[in-house]
Amino acid sequence: MSQNSAPRYPLVLVPGMLGFIRLVFYPYWYGIVEALRRGDAVVFAVQVSPINSNEVRGEQLLARIDEIVRETGAAKVNLIGHSQGALTARYAAAKRPDLVASVTSVAGPNHGSELADHLHRHYPHDSVRGRLLTGLLRIVSALICWLDTGYRGPKLPVDIHGSHHSLTTEGVALFNQRYPQGLPESWGGHGPEEVSGVRYYSWSGTLQPGKTDRGRNLFDGTSRYCRLFARTFVRERENCDGMVGRYSSHLGTVIGDEYPLDHFDIVNQSLGLLGKGAEPVRLFVEHAARLNAAGL
Ligand code: CA
């Protein structure tokens, strides 16, 4: 990518649930930040609460956007959110469209995650299994905060119930009523290209036997989990990436929704271990050029 195809505004990468910037030396956006920077894009990988509601995470993101526009002198930013990071970005853009040039959802549960629905049904908060899951999430979240060498801000609050409610079909439906910007009008359709001056885009992948379960994914435990999690899906059983359904991911202009990428492959995890025919980093580099061509 040459200099003149770098986006005009900084790219702000927002992680999903249990996300981070860099665990010691290990980055969340594996190989992606470097690839974008090679094309001269200005890139910020940011951190928000690993476990919290879309609204709390969105407010944290807004504070970070404020810092970035002050630091860079840019008028606004392009937000790219993975998984719950997409909902976090949508919240920020709905509240401050003047500070956001675009929102891009990468495997975002824009209509909820059927995996979250399954956990809601089978691991209720007041059950033993629910308490065990809550305890485990607290430990993992504390470890992430402790090991994240890329984050230097204040201690991030944890709200497990708020986080969970922010990801179920029912919880996201309520979120969508308040923040409908970019959503398609019909299930499986595209959303509007632009709302309140903010451009909306999305892409996602699906599990594809013979592709996503082959190649270097044979050595990636997260790929195995995605195949297990996919069994909890009902509505989009044959059409999900293990954590998010193909149509549930739609937002704004749908760039693609059938890439052979599971929910972790799509951000080049783990360690770039991918299935056959997978090129997640290329999707980010192409998108930077797309934003540039749109004047963003
Ligand atoms: Ca993988």
Side-chain angles (χ1 to χ4, degrees):
M1 192 162 66
S2 65
Q3 185 158 11
N4 60 13
S5 65
R8 176 179 174 192
Y9 301 111
L11 298 174
V12 177
L13 307 184
V14 189
M17 183 189 176
L18 297 177
F20 50 88
I21 296 175
R22 189 175 60 236
L23 290 183
V24 190
F25 296 111
Y26 185 72
Y28 184 92
W29 306 90
Y30 191 81
I32 293 168
V33 173
E34 294 81 351
L36 291 168
R37 285 185 181 149
R38 276 198 293 277
D40 289 318
V42 176
V43 188
F44 292 85
V46 301
Q47 175 62 321
V48 290
S49 280
I51 298 186
N52 218 311
S53 67
N54 300 323
E55 291 83 353
V56 169
R57 286 163 52 94
E59 287 294 331
Q60 293 166 348
L61 175 59
L62 279 172
R64 193 68 185 90
I65 292 170
D66 251 339
E67 290 172 359
I68 290 168
V69 294
R70 267 187 279 129
E71 191 181 318
T72 59
K76 42 177 97 174
V77 297
N78 289 302
L79 299 175
I80 302 181
H82 172 235
S83 197
Q84 194 187 1
L87 302 173
T88 312
R90 284 175 48 198
Y91 174 91
K95 288 284 182 178
R96 290 296 306 272
D98 55 313
L99 287 177
V100 180
S102 70
V103 169
T104 301
S105 161
V106 178
N110 293 308
H111 297 85
S113 162
E114 291 192 59
L115 174 63
D117 296 344
H118 175 84
L119 293 174
H120 183 66
R121 280 195 304 271
H122 296 278
Y123 293 77
H125 287 287
D126 48 0
S127 69
V128 175
R129 294 208 295 182
R131 286 199 201 103
L132 282 173
L133 181 64
T134 299
L136 179 69
L137 287 173
R138 276 192 194 286
I139 292 168
V140 175
S141 165
L143 273 175
I144 287 172
C145 289
W146 185 53
L147 294 173
D148 193 343
T149 56
Y151 176 72
R152 290 190 179 79
K155 190 168 186 282
L156 295 166
V158 173
D159 177 357
I160 290 176
H161 181 69
S163 162
H164 185 67
H165 188 64
S166 279
L167 293 166
T168 60
T169 300
E170 192 188 341
V172 176
L174 290 171
F175 178 81
N176 287 349
Q177 280 174 18
R178 297 191 68 188
Y179 311 106
Q181 292 85 347
L183 291 171
E185 276 188 19
S186 58
W187 181 246
H190 283 234
E193 280 185 14
E194 186 177 324
V195 183
S196 308
V198 180
R199 294 286 293 261
Y200 286 86
Y201 302 92
S202 59
W203 75 77
S204 60
T206 55
L207 297 185
Q208 296 170 27
K211 287 185 177 177
T212 46
D213 58 354
R214 293 287 186 274
R216 288 184 290 162
N217 260 350
L218 289 169
F219 309 101
D220 187 355
T222 63
S223 178
R224 220 168 280 260
Y225 277 112
C226 284
R227 294 204 292 282
L228 254 169
F229 292 157
R231 296 188 201 163
T232 68
F233 280 60
V234 180
R235 189 179 192 185
E236 297 202 81
R237 179 143 200 172
E238 305 301 327
N239 251 333
C240 74
D241 69 1
M243 297 179 92
V244 174
R246 175 183 172 192
Y247 291 152
S248 176
S249 75
H250 281 198
L251 182 77
T253 301
V254 180
I255 294 159
D257 60 3
E258 278 190 298
Y259 296 109
L261 300 165
D262 68 35
H263 197 69
F264 298 93
D265 292 340
I266 209 157
V267 284
N268 204 27
Q269 297 289 356
S270 310
L271 286 162
L273 297 174
L274 305 165
K276 277 186 187 170
E279 293 183 279
V281 179
R282 184 175 60 80
L283 295 177
F284 282 86
V285 172
E286 285 178 358
H287 191 52
R290 183 178 294 112
L291 294 172
N292 164 281
L296 305 175

